[in-house]
Amino acid sequence: MRWWGWGEDGHSVPLPPTAEGLLRDELGADPANRKPPVAFEQVSVPDARLPDALRERLASAVRAENVRDDRETRIAHAVGRSYPDLVRIRSGDASSAPDAVVLPASAEQVAAVLATCADHRVAVVPFGGGTSVVGGVEPVRDGFAAAISLDLARLSSTVEVDRTSLTARLDAGLLGPDAERRLREHGVTLGHFPQSFEYSTVGGWVATRSAGQASTGYGRIDELVEAVRCVTPAGELGTKAAPASAAGPSLRELVVGSEGVLGVISEATVCVRPAPGAWRYEGWSFASFAEGCDAFRVIEQADAAADVNRLSDEDETRLTMAMGSTGSAIEKVGRRYLRMRGHEGGCLAILGFEGEEDEVEDRRRRTAGLIRAGGGVALGHRPGDAWRRSRYAAPYLRDELLDRGVLVETLETATNWVNLKTLHQAVRDALQTALSGRGTPPLVICHVSHLYASGASLYFTFLARQEEDALAQWRAAKTAASEAIVANGGTITHHHAIGRDHRQWLTAEAGPLGIEVLRAAKERLDPAGIMNPGKLLP
Ligand SMILES: Cc1cc2nc3c(=O)[nH]c(=O)nc-3n(C[C@H](O)[C@H](O)[C@H](O)COP(=O)(O)OP(=O)(O)OC[C@H]3O[C@@H](n4cnc5c(N)ncnc54)[C@H](O)[C@@H]3O)c2cc1C
């Protein structure tokens, strides 16, 4: 991945021409005033401080060529991929770069590296794809002799499928596309497609309780994991692969979502499904976000939800119509058509069904009946197909926006249905207020994208003209939104995890005793406190 953004050199997704005008008119951003990243040579990296004795022991654990401290590798592991991460790295600040990047190829090598680091009091940051958006992979050196990134890219050979039980054992370092391609060779799919799919890993998903775009249908990663193997400084914690168990509290649950603070997930056994032979993605329109939320609740509670269910609020719909291929697909359906049905200024929904041809058709028909009864108007397959084609485009577009001096960030939460609209309004208001006093009003948009019988997630994107102190501007917005989430009954994170950025709000969620329990588990598994310091625990 590019050191300053998303994707690889030579691949970008250009902003549609309509976006330039929209940025100028709505945000007061001047698209001509470019803010490109500094040249690579200008990036400032502290000197690596890896004592010789430590380097030798690491080299004997993983071989010398897999202990890397060249400038390029260290910069590539300095930050994750949140907006503040990108602001810093694009400005040439790689002060958080690890002293070295170590690449083990087996659980045994991971264990040897952890033992060495514990002896030398070196902080260890497990690194999957580095797509964390909550500061999860940023090394913290304070109080340690050095900090290393433990990059799991070489731990990526095993894909062992049990077609009878429909499970698969996957190495933690497998990237999304590799894992999925190899599962498809066996005719199965994990069905886990986060927007970061191209660059995130199996271990990263499990360590952050990730949710894919089709998680309503296939399940979140925490629902798909049957067993884990976790290498901790105190030894290996393995959990049993069984469909269900009453053998006390689930230790698997302790590891899932542990964000590298307890140990390194070296492999996961996951539930898979036969790969779908057919899919149908389609657009729907609702007169309002409230109407759409009610319809989504009805389909979910009737066990008739699609695999992908996305409902944009009014502002996100307006922006989607103005920018990008989904908008032009709706144009083809016709604004007049929507106006005639009282849906001008309404909300767009995308429903996606996957499975076998007949099953897809049957499910679709049943869902369509409920959606129509809830006020939905069908827009056909074009908006759905356009959404599916562009499902991984947003992070490339974010780089384009950063180039034009635009603050663009996302955050997410979830709550019960009864509270969904209140929370939506509260977070919107908080972001609007935090960002408005500071120049042109921001754009705050939101969608619902993961449905549960008792509630749903809310995913906010906010855009504003970037201020001189871009990090202070982001912090003000992030704090205001997080306070609003906590005060209005939402979870501080539905799928991005805690990392560094949500730590201060975890006590509100887990309670002081809950935090003590987590600390006690960490002290037992990681007595030297070397595992991913500064993350998860407040
Ligand atoms: C553009 C973009 C879109 C995104 N979309 C989604 C989305 O749709 N759904 C979603 O859930 N998230 C999303 N994310 C967030 C992120 O991709 C997820 O948190 C993902 O699960 C991280 O995987 P990774 O392999 O990149 O992990 P990393 O970023 O490398 O690590 C994340 C955390 O897990 C720890 N970790 C990583 N691997 C291991 C391991 N093997 N053992 C122990 N700890 C480990 C790290 O130390 C860190 O704390 C998105 C991020 C971006 C930038």
Side-chain angles (χ1 to χ4, degrees):
M1 187 148 39
R2 291 179 183 108
W3 59 271
W4 53 265
W6 196 253
E8 280 151 42
D9 284 343
H11 178 50
S12 57
V13 177
L15 273 187
T18 43
E20 305 272 353
L22 196 129
L23 295 176
R24 201 172 22 241
D25 299 347
E26 300 226 5
L27 297 179
D30 178 1
N33 182 15
R34 293 297 172 110
K35 287 194 176 175
V38 300
F40 182 70
E41 299 68 41
Q42 286 172 274
V43 178
S44 139
V45 199
D47 290 338
R49 31 169 226 214
L50 202 63
D52 288 345
L54 170 64
R55 179 193 294 278
E56 271 166 38
R57 276 190 68 187
L58 290 172
S60 80
V62 297
R63 292 210 308 266
E65 68 269 28
N66 297 312
V67 181
R68 301 191 189 152
D69 61 357
D70 59 279
R71 197 176 136 75
E72 198 169 341
T73 308
R74 290 178 62 220
I75 290 172
H77 292 78
V79 293
R81 284 296 176 268
S82 67
Y83 170 78
D85 291 341
L86 295 178
V87 165
R88 279 167 48 216
I89 201 77
R90 288 168 63 99
S91 73
D93 174 3
S95 52
S96 55
D99 294 290
V101 177
V102 179
L103 293 106
S106 66
E108 292 68 29
Q109 290 189 2
V110 171
V113 171
L114 298 192
T116 302
C117 290
D119 288 351
H120 289 259
R121 209 168 154 64
V122 169
V124 178
V125 184
F127 190 100
T131 66
S132 169
V133 281
V134 290
V137 289
E138 185 165 325
V140 170
R141 279 210 197 76
D142 294 351
F144 294 90
I148 63 156
S149 265
L150 192 74
D151 189 321
L152 297 156
R154 292 177 66 232
L155 197 55
S156 55
S157 52
T158 306
V159 173
E160 204 178 275
V161 175
D162 173 349
R163 277 285 322 196
T164 309
S165 312
L166 281 179
T167 59
R169 203 161 65 79
L170 303 177
D171 269 350
L174 280 158
L175 284 166
D178 295 335
E180 195 57 29
R181 179 179 47 74
R182 294 191 48 196
L183 287 172
R184 296 280 169 135
E185 287 167 9
H186 296 267
V188 296
T189 179
L190 178 58
H192 189 71
F193 304 107
Q195 195 187 57
S196 56
F197 176 71
E198 295 166 283
Y199 294 100
S200 54
T201 62
V202 170
W205 298 340
V206 176
T208 58
R209 305 184 81 95
S210 158
Q213 291 167 336
S215 286
T216 303
Y218 289 93
R220 301 161 56 94
I221 201 72
D222 38 300
E223 294 166 309
L224 296 171
V225 172
E226 200 182 75
V228 285
R229 189 174 171 195
C230 183
V231 182
T232 79
E236 201 174 296
L237 197 64
T239 66
K240 192 172 186 59
S245 168
S250 166
L251 286 172
R252 181 194 57 214
E253 284 296 305
L254 185 65
V255 174
V256 175
S258 59
E259 302 188 31
V261 307
L262 303 179
V264 177
I265 297 160
S266 60
E267 65 173 53
T269 301
V270 292
C271 298
V272 292
R273 296 201 195 177
W279 47 85
R280 163 108 189 182
Y281 280 65
E282 56 193 23
W284 286 83
S285 167
F286 290 98
S288 68
F289 188 56
E291 185 183 80
C293 285
D294 288 342
F296 269 30
R297 178 178 54 75
V298 167
I299 58 172
E300 173 62 23
Q301 292 178 345
D303 204 14
D307 297 307
V308 171
N309 308 266
R310 285 172 79 90
L311 171 70
S312 297
D313 70 3
E314 286 83 354
D315 283 323
E316 187 171 282
T317 302
R318 189 169 61 78
L319 210 71
T320 307
M321 301 278 275
M323 290 168 67
S325 54
T326 313
S328 31
I330 299 167
E331 279 306 336
K332 290 201 179 93
V333 176
R335 278 178 197 272
R336 204 164 143 255
Y337 175 80
L338 287 174
R339 202 176 311 128
M340 275 163 54
R341 280 155 185 80
H343 281 214
E344 199 180 28
C347 291
L348 169 71
I350 300 290
L351 298 188
F353 299 86
E354 304 193 349
E356 288 314 308
E357 192 78 48
D358 291 356
E359 179 211 341
V360 163
E361 206 33 51
D362 288 353
R363 284 177 61 204
R364 201 185 77 73
R365 238 186 257 122
R366 177 160 178 249
T367 308
L370 292 169
I371 291 274
R372 267 201 197 91
V377 168
L379 303 177
H381 67 90
R382 277 206 184 101
D385 293 341
W387 177 83
R388 189 164 183 269
R389 273 195 306 275
S390 60
R391 65 195 292 181
Y392 304 127
Y396 296 92
L397 290 172
R398 179 175 62 166
D399 288 343
E400 297 287 325
L401 292 169
L402 280 160
D403 266 347
R404 289 158 176 82
V406 173
L407 178 164
V408 50
E409 175 68 315
T410 63
L411 52 87
E412 33 70 71
T413 178
T415 191
N416 286 351
W417 289 112
V418 71
N419 190 42
L420 198 68
K421 291 161 213 160
T422 307
L423 185 61
H424 173 246
Q425 193 60 48
V427 178
R428 267 179 61 83
D429 290 350
L431 285 168
Q432 294 275 5
T433 309
L435 290 163
S436 285
R438 304 165 165 253
T440 328
L443 270 171
V444 180
I445 64 179
C446 179
H447 63 249
V448 164
S449 50
H450 302 275
L451 311 186
Y452 306 90
S454 59
S457 66
L458 290 170
Y459 186 94
F460 292 88
T461 303
F462 50 102
L463 300 99
R465 184 157 55 111
Q466 198 177 74
E467 289 180 0
E468 198 58 34
D469 189 343
L471 293 177
Q473 181 191 23
W474 169 82
R475 204 167 298 111
K478 178 77 182 173
T479 304
S482 302
E483 297 293 345
I485 286 171
V486 169
N488 288 278
T491 171
I492 193 63
T493 173
H494 169 262
H495 60 262
H496 280 169
I498 295 289
R500 172 203 55 204
D501 297 344
H502 290 143
R503 261 183 346 144
Q504 71 187 93
W505 291 284
L506 185 61
T507 312
E509 189 129 350
L513 184 58
I515 300 295
E516 277 182 48
V517 171
L518 289 175
R519 269 194 209 295
K522 179 167 172 71
E523 276 162 25
R524 175 65 188 89
L525 297 171
D526 175 26
I530 57 167
M531 295 307 305
N532 211 2
K535 316 297 157 41
L536 182 62
L537 291 163

